Amino acid sequence: MIIRDSVDSDLNALVELHREAFGETEGDRVARLAVELLQDSTARPLISLVASVDGLVVGHVIFSTISVEGDAERSGYILAPLAVHPAFQRRGIGTALIRRGIERLTQLKADYVLVLGNPDYYQRAGFTATHTILPPYELDYPEAWMILRLNQDGVGETKGVVRCAKALCWPELW
Ligand SMILES: CC(C)(COP(=O)(O)OP(=O)(O)OC[C@H]1O[C@@H](n2cnc3c(N)ncnc32)[C@H](O)[C@@H]1OP(=O)(O)O)[C@@H](O)C(=O)NCCC(=O)NCCS
């Protein structure tokens, strides 16, 4: 398995991957989100990584930039979406994509990463609940809103509501 930056010619494979991983109810919506984020100038800087096995795209993650109202100094990102093809799950590929993304964000001197996802899964990568940086929409499961601090000095005082890329500004995604 190798992890690399996605390229334009991956687009169809990424759509298929997200459809397969998220299934009938969510698949189309998440696939559309991935495509829109990749084309969204308000999402940049953006990191888009694919996991590939024998030339086949089996995993994908995007980290896109966010800001918090009233806090222009710190650099934050949001992890979404993340998918691993069902036939390749539980082999550490999702974890490897998250780790590689975090390495890249650390190189970029990002202060923190947010995610909305299953706490049991993301806690393994070091994410914890946050109550000071607020999501842009009300959540059905507030405990699923988490942060990973990359710079311990950088995020202590950050408080406020997140502004995401346009592609993420749909209540049904939250
Ligand atoms: C969630 C997902 C990305 C995990 O990818 P993966 O490559 O299988 O994950 P890893 O192999 O790194 O980690 C697997 C471990 O995480 C756990 N895990 C996997 N998916 C989980 C989930 N949705 N919730 C909680 N734990 C989960 C498994 O129990 C497994 O642990 P174990 O093997 O010790 O039992 C993948 O299952 C997926 O694409 N699911 C569908 C789409 C999705 O839910 N994306 C995440 C949105 S937040």
Side-chain angles (χ1 to χ4, degrees), residues 56-72:
L56 205 65
V57 170
V58 299
H60 180 224
V61 67
I62 294 179
F63 297 82
S64 59
T65 193
I66 57 105
S67 60
V68 170
E69 274 172 47
D71 184 7

Side-chain angles (χ1 to χ4, degrees), residues 52 64 122 161:
S52 151
S64 59
Y122 288 101
V161 179

Side-chain angles (χ1 to χ4, degrees), residues 2 16 21 36 41 50 90-91 101 107 115 127 130-131 143 154:
I2 61 156
E16 277 314 303
E36 287 178 5
S41 61
V50 299
R90 304 188 91 150
R91 299 185 191 184
Q107 287 163 5
V115 72
F127 286 83
T130 174
H131 306 290
E143 66 278 11

Side-chain angles (χ1 to χ4, degrees), residues 97-111:
L97 283 165
I98 295 170
R99 290 218 175 109
R100 183 67 63 85
I102 288 167
E103 279 169 27
R104 294 277 293 274
L105 291 172
T106 305
Q107 287 163 5
L108 291 175
K109 307 224 180 302
D111 292 302

Side-chain angles (χ1 to χ4, degrees), residues 14-49:
L14 294 179
V15 166
E16 277 314 303
L17 168 67
H18 286 287
R19 282 188 179 142
E20 288 285 335
F22 282 88
E24 246 175 57
T25 45
E26 282 185 286
D28 281 340
R29 192 165 52 195
V30 180
R32 202 176 323 126
L33 169 66
V35 171
E36 287 178 5
L37 270 176
L38 290 172
Q39 297 168 345
D40 184 346
S41 61
T42 68
R44 295 185 193 131
L46 171 143
I47 296 170
S48 172
L49 300 173

Side-chain angles (χ1 to χ4, degrees), residues 115-116 134-146 171 173-174:
V115 72
L116 179 65
L134 303 173
Y137 299 98
E138 203 171 316
L139 302 175
D140 290 338
Y141 301 101
E143 66 278 11
W145 180 240
M146 288 171 282
L173 290 171
W174 298 77

